[in-house]
Amino acid sequence: MRPFTMLSLMLLNPFPGDDEAAPPSPLPSFKRIVIDDTFPGGYQVEVADVNGDTRPDIIALGGGTCAWYENPSWQKRIITGPDQTPGIISSATTDLDGDGRAEVAIAYDFAMREPTRGKLGLARPGASPDDKWSFQTIAEVPSIHRLRWGDTRGDGRLDLIVAPIFGPDSTPPAFQEDSARLMVFPSFTIGANRPKPESVALAPVMHAIAVVRLPENHRDSILSASNLGVSLHRRAEVVDPESPHTWLSVRLTPGASGTPPARGASEIHLGHFGSDHALLATIEPWHGSNVAISTIPRAALTTVGHQPDQIGPRTILDDSLDDGHALWLADVNGDGIDEVFAGHRGTNHRVSVYHFDGKTWQRTILDSTIAAQDLRGGDLNQDGIPDIVAIGGTSQNVIWYRPRPASTSASSHP
């Protein structure tokens, strides 16, 4: 397959960074590899090792189905189907019991205009890759929308982070009457004796979450994107014995202004801008048109929960998305500065990559054939270069974008 053709556009927004920084490396070309071209209702994608062979696999969901694709053949196997997980909306994959095979937490029974609906389940693999997966419902979670794993206690045990998008008593079209409740199932186990979920924070229209490990911290924190903007949530350093699950929350940026629910932020990721700064990237507002970034001094990340004013100015990289819904950060050229990958599912749908050339950010249209619903990353071919995977909704496809450095021959990467 020939490398995928790219279109480039110079953006006029200067980046508020150090003019004396070393010039970043060129953006590589990408090879577009079709993993699946018939996935109806595609909505979310993950990259994780499902079968314990140390090679990252792809997990995709949508239309009631959750499936995984085995690396490197990309054979598709079904985890759950529409009879088990109607209204499927999110998954989080990890090996909970240490047997080398991953379990998959699944959010399902989601209905956009029925906020009281929502269920959380757990799928477990059979003895061999071709065996049927078992599935059980764990909890009722109204308006469940996003799942992630993280160690928020710093005890080496995984917690399941669950984010509904709306409060159960909210009503369309604004969904403001009742806030969504971000929660954590601590030290999640496969058995029935699970601790009750902890309440972390409340926010209207909480669309996305990300798990981050701040410098010099031994546990994970949570970023949320909602109608309030971007907020950081972390456990209190000193835990009150009378309130053992105290969480601290601070709003880092308000995001875009507007009439609810079209305000705040919709997607969020934290990455790298050289050795001295972190890169905060968002899509704004909810299901919005803007790809925005700002920087945070890396030394300030440990205190940003108390000093949010250390975040740099907000810069708009792109304001032309229609129903923006996909975001990822990855350093595909190895220069220490993450590229920003973003996609939308509306008119003129596409996936684009935004690359900092030392002075300005440039947009490259990576793929205009995909109605992007989600983007994730991982080193699929284990060449030391992060890859990007996208899933399309109306385009019904799962696509792998493999970076091809200009200095490396095509034959070096199978």
Side-chain angles (χ1 to χ4, degrees):
M1 180 181 295
R2 296 174 61 190
F4 194 63
T5 301
M6 300 184 292
L7 303 175
S8 295
L9 173 69
M10 177 68 76
L11 295 181
L12 299 179
N13 306 75
F15 186 79
D18 185 355
D19 291 337
E20 298 180 358
S25 300
L27 183 71
S29 62
F30 292 80
K31 184 173 182 179
R32 180 182 187 271
I33 301 170
V34 178
I35 301 297
D36 193 342
D37 60 2
T38 54
F39 199 108
Y43 188 80
Q44 184 196 275
V45 66
E46 287 189 89
V47 176
D49 182 8
V50 174
N51 57 355
D53 64 357
T54 73
R55 290 181 293 200
D57 306 300
I58 296 172
I59 303 95
L61 62 81
T65 296
C66 183
W68 73 284
Y69 302 84
E70 185 177 9
N71 190 347
S73 69
W74 305 117
Q75 179 180 347
K76 181 180 182 179
R77 294 184 174 91
I78 301 300
I79 296 174
T80 62
D83 290 342
Q84 298 166 297
T85 51
I88 197 168
I89 196 73
S90 187
S91 67
T93 302
T94 195
D95 179 8
L96 282 172
D97 56 9
D99 67 353
R101 296 171 298 159
E103 286 74 34
V104 183
I106 295 177
Y108 69 106
D109 197 32
F110 175 83
M112 184 73 169
R113 302 183 73 85
E114 300 180 52
T116 58
R117 289 177 53 181
K119 293 183 176 66
L120 172 65
L122 184 68
R124 301 186 64 193
S128 75
D130 293 316
D131 287 343
K132 184 177 179 179
W133 288 60
S134 64
F135 180 76
Q136 66 174 132
T137 300
I138 295 170
E140 302 274 342
V141 182
S143 202
I144 191 169
H145 192 252
R146 290 290 180 264
L147 303 176
R148 298 290 186 268
W149 295 106
D151 178 8
T152 68
R153 292 170 175 252
D155 59 4
R157 295 183 293 178
L158 287 176
D159 312 314
L160 182 60
I161 302 158
V162 179
I165 186 172
F166 310 127
D169 293 328
S170 59
T171 59
F175 299 104
Q176 300 295 302
E177 296 90 346
D178 189 16
S179 291
R181 184 180 298 276
L182 179 64
M183 64 186 75
V184 168
F185 286 78
S187 303
F188 192 92
T189 60
I190 293 175
N193 297 321
R194 299 183 191 90
K196 292 182 178 180
E198 304 171 3
S199 179
V200 176
L202 294 168
V205 192
M206 188 180 297
H207 187 262
I209 54 174
V211 176
V212 297
R213 180 66 63 94
L214 302 180
E216 301 179 8
N217 204 328
H218 66 286
R219 55 195 178 194
D220 291 327
S221 298
I222 306 167
L223 288 171
S224 65
S226 72
N227 272 188
L228 298 180
V230 175
S231 298
L232 174 70
H233 316 278
R234 60 183 180 181
R235 290 187 182 275
E237 295 297 332
V238 178
V239 178
D240 182 350
E242 300 300 320
S243 180
H245 307 310
T246 300
W247 284 80
L248 301 175
S249 298
V250 62
R251 186 165 65 163
L252 303 183
T253 172
S257 59
T259 302
R263 65 180 301 169
S266 190
E267 306 291 339
I268 174 66
H269 283 291
L270 184 70
H272 304 276
F273 190 82
S275 59
D276 296 331
H277 288 77
L279 184 67
L280 186 72
T282 56
I283 290 179
E284 302 172 356
W286 180 43
H287 292 173
S289 59
N290 298 335
V291 180
I293 59 167
S294 56
T295 60
I296 308 172
R298 192 164 297 282
L301 280 176
T302 54
T303 58
V304 73
H306 307 288
Q307 297 173 302
D309 58 335
Q310 295 189 61
I311 296 176
R314 175 171 167 266
T315 299
I316 304 297
L317 300 187
D318 196 346
D319 63 359
S320 65
L321 277 65
D322 181 22
D323 210 354
H325 206 267
L327 184 70
W328 191 252
L329 300 179
D331 180 8
V332 296
N333 56 9
D335 64 359
I337 299 174
D338 281 346
E339 281 66 50
V340 179
F341 295 81
H344 67 268
R345 58 193 184 181
T347 303
N348 297 323
H349 52 63
R350 62 179 180 261
V351 169
S352 299
V353 54
Y354 307 83
H355 165 66
F356 186 63
D357 67 2
K359 295 292 184 181
T360 61
W361 287 83
Q362 296 187 34
R363 185 188 76 184
T364 298
I365 296 177
L366 193 59
D367 189 353
S368 59
T369 70
I370 185 167
Q373 294 274 18
D374 193 23
L375 288 165
R376 298 289 182 95
D379 188 1
L380 294 178
N381 59 340
Q382 298 180 305
D383 63 353
I385 303 172
D387 303 291
I388 309 300
V389 181
I391 190 167
T394 57
S395 54
Q396 302 187 13
N397 45 3
V398 180
I399 308 294
W400 169 19
Y401 305 105
R402 192 186 73 194
R404 296 166 62 95
S407 61
T408 305
S409 66
S411 60
S412 298
H413 300 298

